[in-house]
Amino acid sequence: PGSLERVHLAAEATKRALTDGLHHVTDPEFEDVPDLASKSYATDRATEIDAEATADVEVGFPNDRAEDADTVLLTVADNAGNVVSYINSRFRDFGSGVVAGDTGIALQNRGSSFSLDSDHPNRFEPGKRPFHTLIPGVARLDEDDWAAFGIMGGYMQPQGHVQVLMNLLDDGMSIQEALDFPRWRYQTNGQLAVEGRFDGSLLTKLARRGHDVRVMPPPHFGGGQIARNADGVLSGGTDPRKDGAAIGF
């Protein structure tokens, strides 16, 4: 964890995943979408990665407005074996400006992610569902070991999910260690943002491989929670980068 090889290869894979996501994560009833989850597709994409150098990758159709979000994540596990990941975002400060009855709850305006560009995969069409960045996650870590998790933060969400899962699955970290560990973030402007807690020599080595490295403050790297039921043992972790708490009740 935190090695040059890990960060380089994962960042290069992320570039291609963002390209695929921004091109193909759309309403499949309106667009043809390749089998992004297949191992053969992943193998083909992996052959494009150079283990020793970075590459310029056209990310695709980034929507800068997707980063302006007000998001809340809740994860819950109980002693009956249930785990739930719930994420909600109005997208803008006051969402759509429409309130549900007299509840005071403002409805979201995720339709803002549509494009008026006729060549855009998420172009506006009647009855079409828009691209959005919300990704509630559930992972089966073993036969009776389930975790509800999520990392908030626009385009950081899928990148944060990958890094936390690598920490859990590949490195055997506890859920709190997995959340605490320093993160990186590939940005749509081509820069590789990293937390300052990474070893300084790593940043130099990444730059030598061609990455445009920028040190950014912790809030830039999202915030998440994990709730886990492992063989009847409940545990929770919360991200130090944002407000949150792990509570048993």
Side-chain angles (χ1 to χ4, degrees):
S3 68
L4 170 64
E5 292 75 16
R6 170 72 64 81
V7 177
H8 170 71
L9 291 173
E12 290 299 296
T14 294
K15 293 179 185 181
R16 291 154 178 84
L18 283 172
T19 299
D20 287 341
L22 290 167
H23 275 87
H24 301 304
V25 177
T26 183
D27 193 329
E29 294 183 7
F30 288 78
E31 305 289 336
D32 292 328
V33 179
D35 188 2
L36 300 175
S38 71
K39 291 185 182 297
S40 60
Y41 189 91
T43 299
D44 290 341
R45 292 298 257 154
T47 59
E48 303 171 12
I49 297 174
D50 187 333
E52 301 298 329
T54 187
D56 292 330
V57 176
E58 178 59 46
V59 170
F61 300 94
N63 181 344
D64 292 337
R65 291 172 297 179
E67 298 285 69
D68 299 329
D70 292 274
T71 307
V72 173
L73 168 72
L74 301 173
T75 59
V76 182
D78 68 14
N79 58 10
N82 302 298
V83 296
V84 175
S85 178
Y86 173 84
I87 189 168
N88 183 63
S89 175
R90 291 192 304 258
F91 192 63
R92 296 293 179 85
D93 292 343
F94 293 98
S96 61
V98 177
V99 176
D102 58 359
T103 65
I105 298 173
L107 303 182
Q108 52 84 15
N109 63 325
R110 285 279 166 178
S112 296
S113 290
F114 279 129
S115 172
L116 297 181
D117 181 349
S118 60
D119 294 327
H120 196 293
N122 278 286
R123 60 187 171 275
F124 180 77
E125 297 178 76
K128 188 175 184 178
R129 292 170 292 176
F131 169 91
H132 66 78
T133 59
L134 300 185
I135 315 171
V138 172
R140 187 184 188 186
L141 305 176
D142 206 340
E143 184 175 355
D144 292 308
D145 185 354
W146 292 80
F149 70 100
I151 307 294
M152 296 171 281
Y155 294 132
M156 182 62 202
Q157 286 194 52
Q159 302 187 61
H161 280 206
V162 168
Q163 291 173 68
V164 167
L165 286 173
M166 286 193 297
N167 294 340
L168 290 170
L169 301 174
D170 297 332
D171 304 316
M173 295 185 189
S174 70
I175 56 177
Q176 190 59 57
E177 289 173 329
L179 289 170
D180 290 347
F181 197 78
R183 292 181 192 145
W184 49 266
R185 175 178 183 167
Y186 182 71
Q187 305 186 110
T188 54
N189 63 5
Q191 294 176 346
L192 182 65
V194 297
E195 286 193 275
R197 293 185 293 123
F198 276 116
D199 185 276
S201 64
L202 170 66
L203 310 189
T204 301
K205 292 174 182 176
L206 286 168
R208 287 175 178 167
R209 289 204 176 178
H211 295 281
D212 185 2
V213 181
R214 294 288 187 274
V215 177
M216 302 292 287
H220 193 68
F221 300 91
Q225 283 82 43
I226 304 175
R228 183 177 185 178
N229 184 325
D231 297 312
V233 177
L234 303 181
S235 58
T238 190
D239 203 305
R241 299 168 184 84
K242 297 185 72 173
D243 292 338
I247 302 172
F249 60 91

